[in-house]
């Protein structure tokens, strides 16, 4: 297995533009997480899906952020419109949840987003 | 909501010295995981603790889970330069919450 795949690896955009980050989780995993990491705020959980259904989106900063998981092998995180304060590394991670116990999370390489 | 506090935020040691990072949760956890993130990399899973009072070892690393399942620690014996990075705990109680991490630097 190739592990968790994220694209793009780097994104530079201008304020106001729409940004879409993509993630392919590990096959067989039923849980998917989107995180944002900055020096100031550390590693923040944005949203968590289980069996393609959003379970906890309390970490999503505001309405400019949206996430979808149309099927078990693909998820997107969209920022529209983007702002400079959205600059961060965005990680996708996948895992397997059964009987209330969450296995280890496998992180993708991350997308480094810079909003000018 | 669930909060996970991790201390210290930074730790600088001389190579060969020991290192410990502590993790405390505001709620009782079903399990706790530890991750390591190298500079410029992504978090990589180290270990999971499930049982009250559990202790696990991986070579020079010792992981402990408190009796009340609300705290945990990671101890590294005789640090090496390859140990540099940020160590995160992640407590799971219905959802996973990561601590802020402890960044370890090692002087050769």
């Amino acid at each position: 297995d190739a592990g968790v795949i994220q694209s793009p690896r780097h994104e530079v955009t201008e304020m106001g533009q729409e940004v879409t980050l993509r993630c392919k989780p590990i096959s067989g995993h039923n849980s998917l997480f989107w995180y944002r990491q900055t020096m100031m705020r550390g590693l923040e959980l944005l949203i968590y899906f289980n069996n393609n259904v959003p379970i906890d989106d309390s970490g999503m900063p505001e309405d400019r952020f949206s996430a979808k998981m149309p099927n078990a092998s693909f998820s997107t995180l969209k920022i529209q419109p983007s702002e400079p304060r959205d600059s961060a590394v965005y990680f996708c991670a996948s895992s397997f949840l059964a009987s209330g116990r969450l296995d280890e999370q496998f992180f993708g390489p991350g997308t480094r987003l810079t909003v000018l | 909501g669930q909060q996970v506090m991790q201390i210290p935020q930074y730790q600088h040691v001389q190579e060969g010295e020991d290192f410990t990072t502590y993790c405390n949760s505001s709620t009782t956890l079903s399990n706790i995981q530890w991750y390591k993130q190298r500079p410029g990399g992504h978090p990589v899973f180290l270990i999971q603790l499930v049982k009250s009072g559990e202790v696990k070892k991986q070579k020079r690393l010792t992981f402990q889970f408190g009796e009340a399942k609300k705290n945990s620690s990671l101890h590294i014996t005789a640090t090496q330069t390859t140990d540099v990075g940020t160590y995160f705990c992640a407590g799971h109680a219905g959802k996973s919450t990561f601590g802020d991490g402890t960044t370890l630097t090692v002087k050769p």
Side-chain angles (χ1 to χ4, degrees):
Chain A
D1 200 320
V4 176
I5 299 173
Q6 289 187 249
S7 64
R9 294 292 306 277
H10 302 272
E11 177 81 24
V12 180
T13 190
E14 292 187 343
M15 183 174 64
Q17 296 297 306
E18 177 180 297
V19 175
T20 299
L21 311 182
R22 297 173 176 79
C23 175
K24 177 178 168 57
I26 292 174
S27 177
H29 283 181
N30 62 5
S31 298
L32 184 140
F33 307 81
W34 282 101
Y35 293 91
R36 177 174 67 177
Q37 187 174 42
T38 62
M39 288 292 293
M40 291 296 294
R41 301 176 67 91
L43 190 64
E44 302 173 275
L45 175 65
L46 300 178
I47 189 168
Y48 156 46
F49 291 88
N50 183 246
N51 292 322
N52 313 336
V53 176
I55 302 300
D56 183 354
D57 65 354
S58 59
M60 294 287 264
E62 50 199 89
D63 292 344
R64 296 186 298 107
F65 285 68
S66 62
K68 294 182 179 179
M69 192 165 186
N71 56 63
S73 59
F74 184 66
S75 178
T76 59
L77 178 67
K78 185 177 294 186
I79 308 173
Q80 166 64 15
S82 59
E83 297 181 3
R85 60 192 171 119
D86 301 331
S87 299
V89 179
Y90 290 81
F91 288 107
C92 175
S94 72
S95 182
F96 187 76
L97 176 69
S99 302
R101 180 171 296 176
L102 187 69
D103 287 348
E104 64 180 283
Q105 295 183 43
F106 291 83
F107 282 75
T111 295
R112 182 172 295 276
L113 173 65
T114 302
V115 183
L116 303 174
Chain B
Q2 179 184 336
Q3 291 186 330
V4 174
M5 307 295 293
Q6 196 172 347
I7 57 170
Q9 187 176 2
Y10 299 97
Q11 186 76 55
H12 179 71
V13 300
Q14 189 80 33
E15 188 173 23
E17 293 181 338
D18 292 356
F19 159 77
T20 305
T21 173
Y22 300 91
C23 188
N24 291 286
S25 170
S26 59
T27 59
T28 301
L29 303 169
S30 58
N31 62 63
I32 193 162
Q33 298 171 342
W34 285 91
Y35 293 80
K36 176 183 179 181
Q37 184 178 20
R38 295 181 184 275
H42 58 275
V44 175
F45 175 81
L46 294 176
I47 208 161
Q48 175 166 275
L49 304 171
V50 178
K51 298 177 182 177
S52 170
E54 188 170 15
V55 178
K56 287 188 175 181
K57 292 189 176 184
Q58 290 180 348
K59 297 183 180 179
R60 295 177 295 104
L61 277 61
T62 301
F63 304 84
Q64 291 187 321
F65 201 9
E67 294 289 339
K69 300 183 74 173
K70 295 181 72 173
N71 58 73
S72 182
S73 65
L74 158 59
H75 179 81
I76 302 179
T77 303
T79 55
Q80 300 175 357
T81 55
T82 53
D83 294 326
V84 299
T86 300
Y87 293 84
F88 293 96
C89 63
H92 185 68
K95 63 182 261 186
S96 280
T97 302
F98 275 76
D100 289 336
T102 296
T103 299
L104 172 67
T105 55
V106 179
K107 184 177 181 181

